[in-house]
Amino acid sequence: MAIFSVQARPTDAASWTELARRVESAGFDALLAADHPGHGPSPFVALAAAAAVTSTLGLGSYVSNAGVRQPILLATDVATLDVVSGGRARLGLGAGHTPAEWRAVGRERPDVAGRVRRCVAVAEAVRALLAGEEVTVDTPDLAAYAARLTGLRPVQDRIPLTMGTANSTLLRWAGARADVVGLTGFGRTLPDGHQHEVRWRSDQIEAQLAQVTAGAAGRDRPPALEALVQQVTVTDDAEAAAAVIAAETGLTAAAVLATPFVLIGTAEEIVAAVGHHRRRWGITRFVVRVDAVEALAPVLPRLAA
């Protein structure tokens, strides 16, 4: 069984609420919104609007930038979303790769190790706040004093946490503590601060999953594995479509077709590929962009079987 969610962003009220209804009725698991302050809409405001026109659809940030979000504010947003949606909130977190977002809050983006430390600290603080605990922390990476959600409690006992990353340390942390490990397939951030090199090769995926497995040692139930799908193309010429992506990424067409971060082919070939990714990698969850909804909706029952 494979679970599919949709990442999207609102451009106007009518199309956003219609998308939420359509995604729910088609059988997608969740509607997810990116979190790039200053570069896009607020995910939690948008998701609250989607909550008002749906009843079963999961709703979450994908992913919130732990580098620029303060735990008490993030926990308040997530708990509020959980309340207004009747217990359907999700929390996605990442370390924050875009330098401009750090500068916008008055800080320069730290090195990788610094971003990872901050992300772990924020994740642990938000988890504690959502559980009703008081949080005090004073480190170079994060400061919070007697923080607590005093007039607000989420509906769910535990808000599901997705850690979106390709970093080894965060993969181990997520293996030990997250509900879902969001495999981004991202490599080095490119000079524009938004785009990335890719880590889509089989050996790179195996190395990432080894970190998750190491972190999950001793857990009764390991986290679910989720792939962020960059492109879905329904076509009867998969080789030609893969060749275009191969030229852009420096991979071979065969490597593109083998990766879980792209789904290309006929409906039957995509169903087979999803089954292959489940058997080979243990990946059971996929997040697709909004432009894949129309193509995937007719085959979603087969993908979920």
Side-chain angles (χ1 to χ4, degrees):
M1 177 178 180
I3 295 170
F4 278 74
S5 297
V6 176
Q7 185 193 52
R9 59 189 293 173
T11 55
D12 61 80
S15 65
W16 178 248
T17 53
E18 175 55 30
L19 174 66
R21 293 188 186 97
R22 183 156 50 106
V23 165
E24 181 176 67
S25 65
F28 288 93
D29 182 62
L31 178 62
L32 307 170
D35 190 4
H36 293 291
H39 297 275
S42 163
F44 299 104
V45 174
L47 293 167
V53 298
T54 57
S55 59
T56 61
L57 190 66
L59 302 159
S61 57
Y62 204 86
V63 291
S64 287
N65 181 346
V68 302
R69 293 291 189 183
Q70 292 299 323
I72 189 63
L73 300 178
L74 186 54
T76 299
D77 283 342
V78 174
T80 303
L81 178 61
D82 205 49
V83 169
V84 301
S85 68
R88 292 184 279 141
R90 316 277 179 86
L91 171 60
L93 274 178
H97 59 80
T98 306
E101 292 176 15
W102 290 81
R103 288 195 293 271
V105 297
R107 299 198 298 273
E108 286 301 314
R109 187 185 70 167
D111 61 12
V112 172
R115 297 201 301 276
V116 167
R117 289 193 306 270
R118 165 84 183 191
C119 187
V120 168
V122 169
E124 292 177 345
V126 172
R127 267 267 174 93
L129 290 165
L130 291 171
E133 301 172 18
E134 183 175 285
V135 172
T136 293
V137 58
D138 190 347
T139 72
D141 303 301
L142 180 67
Y145 306 102
R148 182 187 285 272
L149 298 182
T150 58
L152 175 68
R153 296 293 308 128
V155 174
Q156 299 176 84
D157 291 335
R158 177 186 172 97
I159 304 289
L161 169 64
T162 297
M163 182 62 76
T165 188
N167 174 269
S168 295
T169 300
L170 283 179
L171 287 168
R172 288 194 299 274
W173 186 93
R177 295 173 179 84
D179 300 286
V180 179
V181 178
L183 302 169
T184 63
F186 292 166
R188 183 177 63 88
T189 304
L190 297 178
D192 69 357
H194 295 276
Q195 302 300 312
H196 303 265
E197 294 178 349
V198 300
R199 291 180 182 166
W200 291 359
R201 297 196 319 267
S202 295
D203 62 321
Q204 293 171 321
I205 297 170
E206 288 169 357
Q208 292 174 49
L209 295 183
Q211 298 294 339
V212 177
T213 299
R219 281 186 68 167
D220 293 335
R221 178 184 237 177
L225 300 177
E226 183 171 78
L228 176 59
V229 180
Q230 297 297 328
Q231 183 169 327
V232 176
T233 302
V234 178
T235 175
D236 57 6
D237 192 350
E239 288 285 342
V244 175
I245 300 174
E248 296 170 350
T249 59
L251 301 176
T252 65
V256 169
L257 292 173
T259 188
F261 303 109
V262 174
L263 295 174
I264 297 176
T266 63
E268 290 72 21
E269 288 170 336
I270 289 175
V271 170
V274 168
H276 172 78
H277 300 324
R278 182 180 66 248
R279 292 187 299 273
R280 180 171 185 182
W281 313 114
I283 296 171
T284 59
R285 305 178 66 94
F286 298 82
V287 175
V288 300
R289 311 296 193 187
V290 66
D291 56 6
V293 170
E294 184 175 353
L296 284 180
V299 297
L300 206 59
R302 293 168 60 189
L303 292 166

